[in-house]
Amino acid sequence: MSSRPSLPSGPFLLSGPARPSRRTALSLLAGTGAALALDATAAHAGTAAPGPFGRYGSPARRLDPRTLYVDAHGRGDHTDVQSAVDAATGTGRTLVIAPGVYRATVLIDAGHEGLTLIGANGDARDTVLVYDNAAGTPKPDGSGTLGTSGSASVTVRTAGFTARDLTFANDWLRSDNPEYTGTQAVAIKVQGDRSAFYGCRFLGHQDTLYADSPAVGAFARQYYRDCYAEGDVDFVFGRATAVFDRCRFRGLTRTDLASAPYGYVFAPSTAKAGPYGFLVLRSRITSTAPDAYYKLARPWVPSSDLTAHPMLTVRDSRLGAGIDARTPYATMSAGFPWQDQRFAEYRNTGPGARVTVPANRPQLGVAEARAHTPARWLDARNPHLPGTWEVRVADDERGPRGQPA
């Protein structure tokens, strides 16, 4: 929310004297794959499979009548994602999106239950859904600013949503608008129950991935597998019951700040009645910042729900040196100390996981850890959670496979 405090937000200066262009900014955010997609999308896609949609067919050889094809160059049913979403009426529809950078906001409302979005060539770096709004961006009608939720490049309100092999990005930069106080810039806000993301990337700075629910009294389960997220301040946050399985998280360097902390990886805002919050397992947390410049988490108790009881469990994961091992947690708001929240760890490794001050690193016991699993957190038989859901939960212990930092 825009009312959440943020770190000081001076100009975010990239190396070199010149201000980066929009294209340069996206390249720095999204990596080499996205930069290539800007210039040579079709040629790059051809190395994976013939045609812009690869193995997923085409409008001429549609694999399923409920599938629509999106291609910015006109070789699909639609040239932009939003028009394809609007045309995908009913339940259980699929959008196959050709490689490219799609610069526009996208809203997927509650009437698109079971919608699936797929990056056609299987590499999330090459199919990018991006925009550049921030919380402080003025509304077009002059009635105020967009706020945190309004800044989202993509907003998902429907149940049963699935995304595969896509990048969701917000490339708004602090250096573009140093006068902004609302520097939250969401890449995707997800509110629907039974949402799943496989092999996706989430790129931004502050508030990159907003894993939320429709309302304080509503529960939304979300599963993220083999995904990658990067940012600085609270870049994975929200009220959802969210499982991050074999994912990668990377805290970014900030040249506008002279000292630690640069930011916080997680900021859960779990409702008091919510049995589960964020579960991170078999994952890897790294940083491009100096050692100990990132906190693992801080609890978010929003003004709209002062009874929130944030919950985070990080287990069986590797925490890099960028995480402050001595004081990995921080308090966001006075009166809601992190020690009063539901924060815990179990069997983590790496320099950022060293227990140097036991009081600052609450650990689960073996018996307690049995309740902190994807099956338990996402189980449709839980009386707190509605409906049924079959999610492809990873069943091995091989560790993270998200896109490399």
Side-chain angles (χ1 to χ4, degrees), residues 22 25-26 29 103 130-132 153 169-173 176 203:
R22 180 75 55 205
L26 180 58
L29 260 177
R103 178 169 291 281
V130 60
Y131 207 66
D132 59 349
S153 300
N170 188 320
D171 61 354
W172 185 90
L173 295 173
D176 287 346
L203 310 180

Side-chain angles (χ1 to χ4, degrees), residues 121-141:
N121 74 342
D123 189 334
R125 294 171 296 180
D126 297 330
T127 306
V128 182
L129 279 58
V130 60
Y131 207 66
D132 59 349
N133 282 328
T137 300
K139 292 181 179 179
D141 62 6

Side-chain angles (χ1 to χ4, degrees), residues 133-204:
N133 282 328
T137 300
K139 292 181 179 179
D141 62 6
S143 62
T145 56
L146 292 175
T148 300
S149 293
S151 73
S153 300
V154 176
T155 302
V156 179
R157 296 175 180 166
T158 193
F161 176 79
T162 300
R164 298 178 184 275
D165 304 323
L166 291 169
T167 291
F168 300 92
N170 188 320
D171 61 354
W172 185 90
L173 295 173
R174 296 181 179 100
S175 58
D176 287 346
N177 298 97
E179 75 280 7
Y180 276 35
T181 56
T183 57
Q184 298 87 348
V186 178
I188 186 170
K189 179 176 182 177
V190 187
Q191 294 178 286
D193 184 40
R194 296 177 286 112
S195 299
F197 295 81
Y198 299 97
C200 290
R201 306 175 87 222
F202 308 96
L203 310 180

Side-chain angles (χ1 to χ4, degrees), residues 7-360:
L7 291 176
S9 302
F12 184 79
L13 301 176
L14 299 171
S15 59
R19 188 182 198 176
S21 67
R22 180 75 55 205
R23 176 171 166 175
T24 302
L26 180 58
S27 299
L28 291 168
L29 260 177
T32 304
L36 289 173
L38 285 165
D39 288 324
T41 301
H44 187 76
T47 64
F53 306 108
R55 61 190 178 92
Y56 294 103
S58 68
R61 50 186 185 91
R62 206 177 300 272
L63 300 186
D64 185 289
R66 296 180 298 174
T67 297
L68 295 175
Y69 298 89
V70 182
D71 175 51
H73 301 288
R75 295 166 293 181
D77 299 302
H78 299 271
T79 57
D80 67 278
V81 178
Q82 186 64 62
S83 65
V85 169
D86 294 341
T89 57
T91 61
R93 301 297 297 270
T94 298
L95 305 184
V96 179
I97 307 173
V101 176
Y102 297 83
R103 178 169 291 281
T105 59
V106 176
L107 170 62
I108 302 171
D109 62 29
H112 294 83
E113 184 170 353
L115 181 67
T116 296
L117 269 57
I118 300 174
N121 74 342
D123 189 334
R125 294 171 296 180
D126 297 330
T127 306
V128 182
L129 279 58
V130 60
Y131 207 66
D132 59 349
N133 282 328
T137 300
K139 292 181 179 179
D141 62 6
S143 62
T145 56
L146 292 175
T148 300
S149 293
S151 73
S153 300
V154 176
T155 302
V156 179
R157 296 175 180 166
T158 193
F161 176 79
T162 300
R164 298 178 184 275
D165 304 323
L166 291 169
T167 291
F168 300 92
N170 188 320
D171 61 354
W172 185 90
L173 295 173
R174 296 181 179 100
S175 58
D176 287 346
N177 298 97
E179 75 280 7
Y180 276 35
T181 56
T183 57
Q184 298 87 348
V186 178
I188 186 170
K189 179 176 182 177
V190 187
Q191 294 178 286
D193 184 40
R194 296 177 286 112
S195 299
F197 295 81
Y198 299 97
C200 290
R201 306 175 87 222
F202 308 96
L203 310 180
H205 287 273
Q206 182 170 350
D207 291 7
T208 304
L209 171 55
Y210 194 170
D212 200 30
S213 75
V216 171
F219 300 104
R221 293 161 294 177
Q222 300 171 15
Y223 182 63
Y224 300 80
R225 176 177 171 178
D226 297 329
C227 291
Y228 170 83
E230 69 177 31
D232 46 47
V233 182
D234 306 333
F235 62 93
V236 180
F237 74 112
R239 189 173 49 221
T241 294
V243 172
F244 300 92
D245 194 354
R246 301 195 303 184
C247 293
R248 294 285 304 273
F249 304 91
R250 184 172 69 162
L252 300 176
T253 299
R254 294 186 64 177
T255 56
D256 60 312
L257 296 180
S259 61
Y262 279 174
Y264 314 85
V265 181
F266 304 102
S269 58
T270 321
K272 182 178 181 179
Y276 304 110
F278 289 176
L279 172 62
V280 181
L281 76 160
R282 299 183 289 228
S283 295
R284 187 177 304 158
I285 301 172
T286 62
S287 173
T288 60
D291 291 358
Y293 266 53
Y294 268 87
K295 303 294 186 183
L296 184 59
R298 62 178 182 173
W300 175 31
V301 178
S303 58
S304 59
D305 181 21
L306 295 177
T307 66
H309 194 194
M311 182 178 187
L312 167 71
T313 297
V314 180
R315 60 169 300 173
D316 299 293
S317 296
R318 179 172 177 79
L319 280 54
I323 297 299
D324 182 354
R326 184 176 180 83
T327 56
Y329 303 106
T331 294
M332 181 183 295
S333 303
F336 303 100
W338 75 262
Q339 293 89 343
D340 291 347
Q341 314 309 324
R342 295 177 283 180
F343 283 6
E345 301 177 53
Y346 180 68
R347 291 197 317 191
N348 294 320
T349 60
R354 285 196 294 264
V355 181
T356 58
V357 182
N360 290 343

